């Protein structure tokens, strides 16, 4: 185990590795607030010569802080975009599901209504739903809608339950549904990608595209919500190729699509053009700002590539539509 180091000792270690400082007092305060490990260990590697394990001659501590700040701000806007995607998906899923089972409001607790043949997964899902219902029904100090529906109507329809589920939980549920319902949901979500691409000529999306995208968005949501490091992250799924989204950006079917940027692109399936433009253009502005702060673009390009972002900023510019 490494021994405890004072702030002065931490700075001395960095100086011995050729790192420079514009303001040591501010540097110590920053390390005190954000922790040496979370800042230096997480964001230094873009500036270190792998042959010598020392910083390049033109690197300052403040450059590391700029990367740290960039990561935090980009995570915030991505999180906001995913929250919108989660809201839309839950609403559409509840509508399509309840339309199919409108005469059986407790169908989500019936194993026969699921499409998956994996009895263990379906049973686990039903058990989780039952636990959620019981938890909120028994809450004494919270007059929630689950308790209300149970007392007044003796039944809790899925459109009420869905608001108490996480994105991961509704994604898991979606995967277990009959293909007809999954396709109905995917068809409704197709309207978002058509809005983002400003065309009605594309085909409806397959539910597998939605499923894989949701799984990566759930993983990315957890990273952003818990303020974990996002740079250099490889997400679970190599996302399906969708020509109308990927080809204009010179992303090939043969390319790997597990990067943060490829999952951001999948927000086009879940949010409106203007909502996506806000995410897209905020990231672009932050990239441009970082290049202004760190003059050696070899470093910033490494950062962008660690997210899968194109280093040509013009490729990710997107204008918002004017409201009709």
């Amino acid at each position: 185990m490494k021994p405890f180091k004072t702030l002065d000792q931490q700075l001395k270690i960095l100086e011995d590795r050729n790192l420079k400082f514009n303001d040591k007092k501010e540097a110590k305060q920053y390390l005190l607030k954000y922790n040496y490990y979370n800042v230096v260990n997480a964001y230094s590697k873009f500036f270190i010569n792998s042959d010598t394990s020392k910083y390049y001659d033109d690197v300052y501590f403040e450059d590391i802080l700029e990367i740290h700040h960039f990561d935090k701000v980009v995570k915030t806007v991505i999180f906001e975009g995913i929250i919108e995607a989660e809201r839309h998906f839950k609403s559409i899923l509840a509508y399509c599901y309840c339309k199919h089972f409108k005469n059986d409001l407790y169908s989500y607790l019936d194993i026969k209504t699921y499409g998956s043949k994996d009895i263990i997964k379906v049973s686990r899902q039903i058990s989780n739903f039952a636990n959620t219902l019981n938890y909120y029904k028994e809450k004494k100090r919270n007059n929630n809608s689950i308790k209300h529906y149970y007392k007044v109507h003796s039944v809790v329809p899925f459109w009420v339950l869905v608001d108490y589920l996480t994105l991961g939980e509704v994604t898991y549920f979606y995967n277990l549904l009959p293909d007809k319902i999954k396709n109905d949901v995917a068809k409704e979500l197709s309207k978002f990608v058509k809005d983002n691409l400003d065309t009605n000529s594309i085909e409806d999306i397959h539910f597998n595209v939605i499923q894989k995208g949701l799984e990566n968005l759930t993983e990315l949501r957890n990273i952003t919500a818990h303020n974990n490091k996002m740079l250099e992250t490889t997400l679970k799924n190599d996302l399906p190729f969708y020509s109308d989204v990927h080809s204009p950006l010179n992303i090939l079917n043969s390319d790997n699509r597990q990067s943060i940027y490829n999952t951001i692109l999948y927000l086009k399936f879940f949010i409106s053009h203007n909502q996506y433009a806000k995410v897209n253009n905020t990231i672009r502005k932050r990239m441009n700002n970082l290049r202004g702060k760190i003059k050696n673009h070899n470093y910033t390009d490494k950062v962008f590539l660690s997210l899968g972002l194109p280093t040509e900023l013009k490729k990710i510019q997107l204008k918002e539509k004017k409201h009709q």
Side-chain angles (χ1 to χ4, degrees):
M1 181 182 294
K2 291 184 177 180
F4 170 79
K5 295 287 192 301
T6 67
L7 293 172
D8 286 322
Q9 288 172 325
Q10 292 174 21
L11 263 61
K12 181 64 167 59
I13 290 171
L14 294 173
E15 282 187 309
D16 289 344
R17 296 182 65 191
N18 198 36
L19 187 64
K20 299 168 181 62
F21 296 85
N22 285 323
D23 190 326
K24 287 187 178 181
K25 183 178 179 181
E26 287 295 323
K28 286 193 287 186
Q29 284 301 307
Y30 203 93
L31 292 176
L32 183 62
K33 288 190 293 184
Y34 292 104
N35 186 293
Y36 182 98
Y37 179 82
N38 292 335
V39 177
V40 176
N41 287 15
Y43 300 100
S44 279
K45 59 185 65 179
F46 303 103
F47 304 102
I48 292 176
N49 186 328
S50 58
D51 294 330
T52 64
S53 296
K54 291 188 176 184
Y55 292 91
Y56 290 105
D57 291 338
D58 59 346
V59 179
Y60 284 77
F61 178 77
E62 288 74 15
D63 295 327
I64 300 173
L65 304 195
E66 291 297 342
I67 305 297
H68 181 223
H69 182 67
F70 171 81
D71 190 45
K72 287 197 303 176
V73 174
V74 170
K75 277 188 292 194
T76 298
V77 71
I78 291 174
F79 179 73
E80 291 172 356
I82 295 175
I83 291 298
E84 288 298 321
E86 179 178 350
R87 184 178 294 116
H88 295 161
F89 176 71
K90 283 182 176 181
S91 179
I92 290 170
L93 174 64
Y95 177 81
C96 293
Y97 179 82
C98 294
K99 182 177 66 173
H100 193 77
F101 291 109
K102 57 187 174 183
N103 296 321
D104 183 3
L105 297 184
Y106 267 142
S107 57
Y108 56 85
L109 297 178
D110 185 351
I111 199 169
K112 297 190 298 294
T113 63
Y114 286 80
S116 173
K117 295 180 180 179
D118 192 325
I119 303 301
I120 294 177
K121 287 185 177 180
V122 173
S123 298
R124 185 185 299 123
Q125 177 67 88
I126 292 173
S127 177
N128 289 341
F129 280 163
N131 289 337
T132 299
L133 290 172
N134 289 332
Y135 175 79
Y136 285 101
K137 282 192 296 187
E138 299 302 323
K139 268 200 143 183
K140 294 181 179 180
R141 297 183 180 180
N142 188 348
N143 190 23
N144 58 79
S145 54
I146 286 179
K147 180 185 286 189
H148 170 78
Y149 265 80
Y150 185 73
K151 284 184 175 181
V152 176
H153 305 288
S154 299
V155 64
V156 181
F158 184 71
W159 71 74
V160 174
L161 174 63
V162 73
D163 285 340
Y164 295 85
L165 305 177
T166 67
L167 180 57
E169 287 171 334
V170 290
T171 298
Y172 191 85
F173 175 63
Y174 180 71
N175 190 40
L176 299 175
L177 291 176
D179 287 356
K180 184 183 186 308
I181 299 178
K182 289 195 284 190
N183 276 322
D184 285 348
V185 173
K187 184 177 180 179
E188 291 298 327
L189 289 170
S190 297
K191 297 173 184 177
F192 286 113
V193 74
K194 289 175 181 178
D195 180 42
N196 275 292
L197 300 178
D198 199 21
T199 179
N200 288 314
S201 62
I202 62 175
E203 297 179 358
D204 291 334
I205 50 182
H206 190 272
F207 62 75
N208 184 56
V209 173
I210 298 301
Q211 180 66 39
K212 298 298 184 184
L214 284 169
E215 289 173 1
N216 276 22
L217 284 170
T218 299
E219 187 179 356
L220 184 53
R221 184 195 189 282
N222 291 337
I223 291 171
T224 56
H226 296 107
N227 200 29
N228 296 328
K229 191 185 77 161
M230 187 171 60
L231 305 182
E232 299 185 298
T233 297
T234 299
L235 299 176
K236 175 184 176 181
N237 293 318
D238 185 358
L239 294 170
F241 180 77
Y242 194 80
S243 180
D244 292 286
V245 169
H246 295 119
S247 294
L249 298 169
N250 297 320
I251 299 173
L252 306 177
N253 194 7
S254 57
D255 291 339
N256 180 276
R257 289 176 291 279
Q258 292 177 270
S259 70
I260 297 293
Y261 179 57
N262 272 285
T263 295
I264 292 170
L265 290 177
Y266 258 56
L267 282 173
K268 292 180 179 181
F269 297 105
F270 299 95
I271 60 180
S272 70
H273 177 95
N274 283 350
Q275 289 171 329
Y276 182 78
K278 179 182 177 182
V279 175
N280 185 88
N281 291 340
T282 299
I283 293 173
R284 182 181 183 276
K285 289 174 184 176
R286 289 298 169 179
M287 291 171 69
N288 194 49
N289 180 263
L290 187 64
R291 279 189 165 170
K293 298 284 187 178
I294 301 175
K295 302 304 181 183
N296 188 335
H297 293 172
N298 289 327
Y299 302 135
T300 55
D301 285 354
K302 288 180 185 179
V303 173
F304 302 155
L305 290 172
S306 76
L307 295 170
L309 290 163
T311 54
E312 293 182 58
L313 303 191
K314 62 183 180 181
K315 288 187 177 181
I316 63 168
Q317 186 175 17
L318 190 66
K319 294 181 178 179
E320 293 190 18
K321 291 182 179 178
K322 294 182 179 179
H323 294 289
Q324 300 294 323

